[in-house]
Amino acid sequence: MRRLHMIPTGTKIDFIGKKIAFFAFSFCLIIASIGIFGTNGLNYGIDFKGGIMMEVRSNSGPADVGALRTQLSKLGLGEISIQEFGEPEEVLIRIQRQDGDEKAQQAAVEAVKSELHDTVEYRRTEFVGPKVSEELFMDGVMAVALAIGAILVYIWFRFEWQFGMGAVVALIHDVISTIGIFALLGMEFNLSTVAAVLTIAGYSINDTVVVYDRVRENLRKYKKMDLPELLNMSVNETLSRTVMTSVTTLVALLALYILGGEVIRGFSFAMIWGIVIGTYSSVCLAVPILTYFVLRRSDDEDEEDSEIEKVEGEGAV
Amino acid sequence: MVYFAKWKIAIVVAVCLLGVAFAAPNLLDRNTTENLPGWLPNQQISLGLDLRGGSHLLLEVEAQTVINERLESIVDSIRQTLRSERIRYTGLGIRDSQVSVQIKKPDQVQQAYDLLRKIDTGTETINENGKISITMTEEAVLKAKRSAVEQSIEIVRRRIDETGTKEPNIQRQGDDRILIQLPGIDNPEDVKRLLGKTAKMTFHLVNHTVTPEDILAGRIPPGTIALPDAENENTKIAVRRKVEVSGDMLIDSQPTFQDAQPVVSFTFNALGGKKFGQVTSKNVNRRLAIVLDGKVISAPNIQGPILGGSGIITGRFSVQEANDLSLLLRAGALPAPLVILEERTVGPGLGADSIEAGKVASVIGLLGVIIFMVASYGRFGIYADIALMFNIILIGAALSVLQATLTLPGIAGIVLTIGMAVDANVLIFERIREETRNGLGPIAAIDSGYKRAIKTIVDANVTTLIAAVLLYQFGSGPVRGFAVTLAIGILTSMFTAIMLTRLQVVVWLRRTKPKTLEL
């Protein structure tokens, strides 16, 4: 039986030789992401901004977004966004955070409900007060920062510090570009997006670790080989697996993106983007970066660095 | 490698069978599982509110109110004490959570200090040149706040129970917050209305000597306060500060009708009944104000002594208001007001749709991955797929046994795990292919493929696990559900991908003893 081979065996693609192109591309990507983030900002969901979100389904055929807007804007609740959501009967109403404390938010929910009354089915009502949204935001930032830190420490512990650096550069690249794409598309950035970013971080590192593992193994096996050649060999040897895993994960995520419903769509989108960018960064950033370091090629299985070697490595940067 | 210890085989088989047993109840409907014999596993995965529909409310107890009230009562006690001892003072008041008073005559300072020290045991009293300052100790503040929160939880539980909500989950969160989860409630306005009132009821005598003009002019004698009328907040009624009877002595309250008007009946306990009897006997033809949360709901004339310990409250109630008030009086007053910080309500329609969409996405994702694996690795792909199926069964079993909550992001976590679970097998199979290309025979290639890949698998999965743990730590609600399924999925996938596929491969190797490896 013929097997499906995503990647032909024995590829000899020169990844390291193109490193300047990769670095330039990624550099532009990051600058662009930061730029867009700076100008557009993120479209924060109510989790982080506070405010009210209601998903309603019209009881009388397709919803009339225009009529709803006039109906609700006379309540004087400030900025109201109304958009179709999935099906023509369904709309998503977003109302800005009300001035004042938590009670003001509550009053706004009641005002909308008494205005729309029974003309719609309330499929989802969420309101987040200023206090909680601030906390959720801080928690999200903390979680991402700690995750990157913890992963750095783990890689450092399992490999060597140079690998940790490479992995974290790739990781930060993934996180920033994910934020960039959200800023560019104006997609809602909420708690589940943070969950997606953290998962992307885990996944991206997963890929990086697999390639690094091979690099380490080859460093021990081929002591005389040039580093760029050795890195290229390691990437090519693991390329088939890298692509296979990305494809199976993407298959599952595409199913989720297309069929998983509107609520989860932003999350699946972030994940799909993250898998693609994470795979790219593992192969095209995390590995080429290693050429700027001097890597240890000792025979002992002990993975702990001795102090002397660490100093050597640092001296050669 | 070809040697797979008997006990290991036993463990792998046992785990898989247990997985099936514990996951199975999820395929039955709830009634059937409840009637299963007790020794059979019968726990089902509990669904989060975003899937089953329901309301999630996060409340904060404004515990500072309790502290303020206590400080105010200290002020009252100081005033009474100093007056009865004829100690002259000035500047009695509260500033920055500190009660202070200036004693006028230096020779009375020590006496005043000794008296004021005894007013509240949870305070610290300092005397500075005749200026006596009282602050609550940190310990006392904490204790008061803690007990306010605990009491609030109890009252909230009673009020929600009274509404007949099924399976409410009420728990404390952090220092001063209460998390309420109400499955099946898609319009929590009723509950929110009930929780929005502290429902402190007190009975006061109306001060008849104060005329409406006096109130307007602000000429309120000491010991009297002007409280707004509940019907019309611009009208104020002057009542004596002294609480004649208070609502915490009530044992029952019911909505009822009088002259076709909704009214609320109440019954005091023995002590309250006695007090109520005394007040009404002594004050016939005077008005008794019923005050709820600082507003006068009615101030009827006392027609004659009420000795039975029960009575009715009239006021222009709607049926709804009469029902609410009696419920609040039955459940008791909150020690401090509650503020709703966050609400997330999902209607049953959306929940059911989400489950359906999640199921479809999982099945399609699963099928895609299964086909892909078989196409890529043939026989080995089938082994990996069998392991994948068991992986999903084990996730289901773990969620049921741990009674972890499955949320919509949790379903996403499972779908993601489906994609990532085969990674371990991909790693192993690719390695075996490589070793075969390097000229190793089937057994040696498989042996070395497993050995070398496992290290990588562990490293790669630990990093994802780190992300999952942090997500759990910092996430809330549905996101936590995602972290839980992701973490469980990583652990079970490591087991199934490594142990279960290996077992199948070993069995196949032993049976067929292949000369070459088709992979």
Side-chain angles (χ1 to χ4, degrees):
Chain A
M1 197 177 108
R2 258 188 68 77
R3 300 269 188 274
L4 173 71
H5 279 269
M6 298 288 299
I7 297 291
T9 40
T11 49
K12 288 200 167 56
I13 304 169
D14 183 13
F15 287 97
I16 305 302
K18 300 182 188 75
K19 68 181 177 190
I20 300 301
F22 293 137
F23 290 159
F25 172 74
S26 291
F27 185 73
C28 293
L29 189 64
I30 291 199
I31 295 299
S33 295
I34 294 174
I36 296 167
F37 174 71
T39 50
N40 287 15
L42 279 174
N43 173 16
Y44 291 112
I46 60 164
D47 292 337
F48 298 142
K49 205 172 53 178
I52 299 158
M53 182 169 78
M54 291 170 121
E55 188 186 330
V56 299
R57 184 200 289 255
S58 160
N59 286 336
S60 50
D64 184 347
V65 173
L68 269 174
R69 188 169 288 130
T70 27
Q71 205 180 348
L72 292 181
S73 48
K74 68 176 185 227
L75 294 175
L77 298 173
E79 199 184 309
I80 294 182
S81 107
I82 299 179
Q83 68 187 76
E84 221 175 82
F85 197 65
E87 289 161 55
E89 291 83 25
E90 276 171 38
V91 288
L92 192 69
I93 304 169
R94 263 182 287 197
I95 301 169
Q96 71 162 75
R97 178 170 125 187
Q98 303 295 300
D99 289 337
D101 61 358
E102 271 72 15
K103 279 173 199 144
Q105 322 297 316
Q106 195 57 49
V109 174
E110 274 160 34
V112 173
K113 282 199 176 174
S114 61
E115 178 65 35
L116 298 179
H117 205 59
D118 284 345
T119 59
V120 294
E121 174 200 333
Y122 298 95
R123 283 168 67 81
R124 185 155 57 118
T125 308
E126 296 189 351
F127 102 78
V128 180
K131 220 181 255 180
V132 171
S133 59
E134 260 164 45
E135 289 171 10
L136 288 175
F137 185 78
M138 283 319 293
D139 282 356
V141 172
M142 278 283 273
V144 174
L146 278 178
I148 293 178
I151 288 168
L152 172 69
V153 170
Y154 182 78
I155 302 281
W156 188 351
F157 180 72
R158 291 289 291 148
F159 294 83
E160 281 169 73
W161 67 269
Q162 296 95 330
F163 290 86
M165 292 302 294
V168 166
V169 168
L171 194 58
I172 292 174
H173 168 265
D174 298 344
V175 171
I176 292 180
S177 63
T178 305
I179 291 173
I181 194 92
F182 268 76
L184 177 69
L185 300 178
M187 289 180 74
E188 189 181 302
F189 195 86
N190 52 27
L191 264 186
S192 50
T193 321
V194 171
V197 168
L198 277 175
T199 317
I200 291 168
Y203 182 90
S204 161
I205 280 295
N206 190 317
D207 258 5
T208 308
V209 165
V210 171
V211 185
Y212 276 6
D213 232 35
R214 184 57 68 100
V215 171
R216 182 168 59 180
E217 188 186 321
N218 285 338
L219 278 173
R220 286 186 191 132
K221 223 192 298 184
Y222 308 100
K223 292 211 171 61
K224 296 281 174 311
M225 194 186 277
D226 269 355
L227 189 58
E229 196 188 333
L230 186 140
L231 294 178
N232 259 333
M233 184 174 82
S234 308
V235 174
N236 279 295
E237 279 173 355
T238 49
L239 196 58
S240 176
R241 172 270 158 191
T242 306
V243 174
M244 259 310 276
T245 299
S246 298
V247 170
T248 55
T249 311
L250 280 177
V251 165
L253 283 171
L254 273 174
L256 196 65
Y257 179 74
I258 298 166
L259 305 164
E262 208 61 44
V263 182
I264 205 85
R265 196 147 292 161
F267 174 85
S268 350
F269 173 81
M271 286 300 305
I272 289 172
W273 167 264
I275 300 296
V276 173
I277 201 77
T279 306
Y280 158 80
S281 73
S282 303
V283 172
C284 303
L285 288 184
V287 176
I289 285 175
L290 294 179
T291 56
Y292 295 101
F293 298 110
V294 169
L295 302 174
R296 185 173 66 130
R297 299 181 170 196
S298 72
D299 226 3
D300 58 295
E301 280 293 301
D302 182 5
E303 271 138 23
E304 298 287 333
D305 287 341
S306 73
E307 275 309 309
I308 303 159
E309 271 153 344
K310 245 193 207 170
V311 172
E312 261 175 26
E314 270 160 3
V317 173
Chain B
M1 158 67 205
V2 181
Y3 174 73
F4 206 85
K6 285 237 163 54
W7 63 270
K8 272 192 189 165
I9 298 177
I11 287 178
V12 173
V13 172
V15 169
C16 291
L17 288 180
L18 280 176
V20 171
F22 281 103
N26 291 298
L27 299 174
L28 309 170
D29 70 69
R30 206 163 265 271
N31 292 333
T32 323
T33 58
E34 274 163 15
N35 295 326
L36 284 175
W39 53 269
L40 277 177
N42 59 1
Q43 281 173 311
Q44 289 187 323
I45 295 174
S46 63
L47 297 179
L49 292 181
D50 59 339
L51 292 179
R52 69 195 292 204
S55 193
H56 154 119
L57 299 171
L58 182 64
L59 308 177
E60 189 169 71
V61 181
E62 291 196 319
Q64 189 57 39
T65 331
V66 180
I67 306 299
N68 293 345
E69 277 173 11
R70 181 134 156 207
L71 292 174
E72 269 159 34
S73 91
I74 292 176
V75 169
D76 282 344
S77 309
I78 293 177
R79 187 181 294 122
Q80 276 173 21
T81 313
L82 295 183
R83 274 193 194 154
S84 64
E85 294 296 324
R86 301 189 180 283
I87 298 173
R88 293 183 59 200
Y89 63 90
T90 167
L92 173 61
I94 306 170
R95 218 165 291 114
D96 300 333
S97 302
Q98 186 179 45
V99 179
S100 54
V101 62
Q102 179 74 44
I103 305 300
K104 281 191 171 168
K105 288 186 187 161
D107 57 326
Q108 285 183 320
V109 169
Q110 190 55 42
Q111 186 198 359
Y113 177 73
D114 289 338
L115 285 168
L116 298 193
R117 270 179 65 183
K118 290 179 202 137
I119 284 178
D120 191 321
T121 50
T123 57
E124 223 170 312
T125 312
I126 302 165
N127 171 19
E128 257 178 301
N129 305 327
K131 187 188 172 199
I132 299 177
S133 314
I134 301 179
T135 43
M136 282 182 71
T137 60
E138 227 167 89
E139 199 185 335
V141 170
L142 268 179
K143 205 171 143 198
K145 284 190 176 174
R146 199 179 305 137
S147 94
V149 174
E150 269 156 26
Q151 227 179 318
S152 300
I153 291 177
E154 183 53 38
I155 302 293
V156 164
R157 180 165 293 134
R158 274 194 241 159
R159 287 188 186 177
I160 288 174
D161 284 346
E162 290 271 1
T163 63
T165 308
K166 289 201 183 80
E167 304 175 56
N169 178 14
I170 300 161
Q171 61 189 61
R172 180 201 195 119
Q173 203 172 59
D175 280 340
D176 51 4
R177 293 186 179 173
I178 306 174
L179 178 67
I180 305 177
Q181 290 185 297
L182 305 166
I185 299 286
D186 61 331
N187 189 2
E189 300 309 315
D190 292 342
V191 174
K192 287 193 313 203
R193 200 181 54 241
L194 287 176
L195 296 179
K197 293 192 180 119
T198 42
K200 256 183 207 144
M201 189 169 78
T202 44
F203 292 80
H204 300 255
L205 284 170
V206 172
N207 187 344
H208 294 271
T209 61
V210 182
T211 62
E213 290 75 39
D214 290 336
I215 295 174
L216 275 179
R219 287 191 298 269
I220 312 289
T224 296
I225 37 171
L227 293 178
D229 189 328
E231 289 292 318
N232 178 3
E233 303 218 355
N234 293 326
T235 322
K236 291 205 166 156
I237 299 170
V239 303
R240 297 204 185 274
R241 204 182 266 274
K242 187 187 173 209
V243 174
E244 302 294 340
V245 199
S246 94
D248 53 14
M249 293 177 182
L250 288 175
I251 47 172
D252 193 23
S253 174
Q254 294 294 334
T256 168
F257 284 92
Q258 191 183 51
D259 302 332
Q261 272 289 318
V263 295
V264 175
S265 74
F266 59 85
T267 311
F268 280 113
N269 61 16
L271 180 64
K274 208 169 119 194
K275 278 189 161 185
F276 196 58
Q278 282 169 359
V279 176
T280 49
S281 311
K282 280 189 209 152
N283 296 289
V284 175
N285 274 330
R286 293 184 65 181
R287 286 170 73 200
L288 187 66
I290 303 165
V291 177
L292 183 75
D293 293 339
K295 289 176 193 164
V296 179
I297 43 177
S298 72
N301 215 28
I302 301 169
Q303 313 275 344
I306 305 171
L307 301 171
S310 62
I312 54 167
I313 306 169
T314 57
R316 267 147 278 159
F317 299 130
S318 66
V319 175
Q320 172 87 68
E321 284 166 343
N323 283 338
D324 282 1
L325 178 58
S326 60
L327 185 155
L328 292 174
L329 293 180
R330 279 199 303 277
L334 286 168
L338 296 175
V339 180
I340 303 174
L341 296 182
E342 184 187 15
E343 174 193 338
R344 292 177 199 263
T345 302
V346 170
L350 181 62
D353 289 358
S354 293
I355 294 180
E356 202 47 48
K359 268 187 195 162
V360 172
S362 311
V363 169
I364 301 294
L366 185 62
L367 279 178
V369 172
I370 284 177
I371 293 169
F372 202 76
M373 287 300 282
V374 176
S376 299
Y377 301 112
R379 171 187 297 278
F380 284 73
I382 295 174
Y383 293 156
D385 288 338
I386 292 172
L388 181 58
M389 301 297 274
F390 270 100
N391 181 36
I392 292 170
I393 292 172
L394 286 178
I395 293 176
L399 288 175
S400 308
V401 172
L402 298 175
Q403 283 294 291
T405 311
L406 183 65
T407 60
L408 183 57
I411 294 181
I414 293 178
V415 176
L416 186 65
T417 316
I418 292 173
M420 289 174 69
V422 292
D423 179 48
N425 283 131
V426 170
L427 271 168
I428 294 167
F429 296 163
E430 290 293 332
R431 194 79 206 207
I432 296 175
R433 274 182 178 173
E434 245 180 84
E435 302 293 340
T436 311
R437 277 200 298 277
N438 289 345
L440 290 183
I443 293 177
I446 289 172
D447 197 20
S448 130
Y450 268 98
K451 245 186 220 148
R452 295 196 161 166
I454 281 175
K455 240 184 172 177
T456 313
I457 294 170
V458 170
D459 272 341
N461 281 299
V462 167
T463 52
T464 313
L465 211 50
I466 291 174
V469 168
L470 287 167
L471 262 182
Y472 185 82
Q473 196 58 40
F474 287 94
S476 71
V479 173
R480 278 198 158 185
F482 171 73
V484 169
T485 52
L486 188 64
I488 292 176
I490 290 167
L491 296 176
T492 55
S493 75
M494 279 170 72
F495 170 79
T496 54
I498 298 171
M499 300 300 275
L500 191 55
T501 49
R502 186 155 148 186
L503 178 60
Q504 296 175 79
V505 171
V506 168
V507 169
W508 171 74
L509 273 183
R510 275 193 197 158
R511 199 170 320 132
T512 58
K513 305 211 165 47
K515 290 274 177 305
T516 55
L517 205 53
E518 260 196 53
L519 182 68

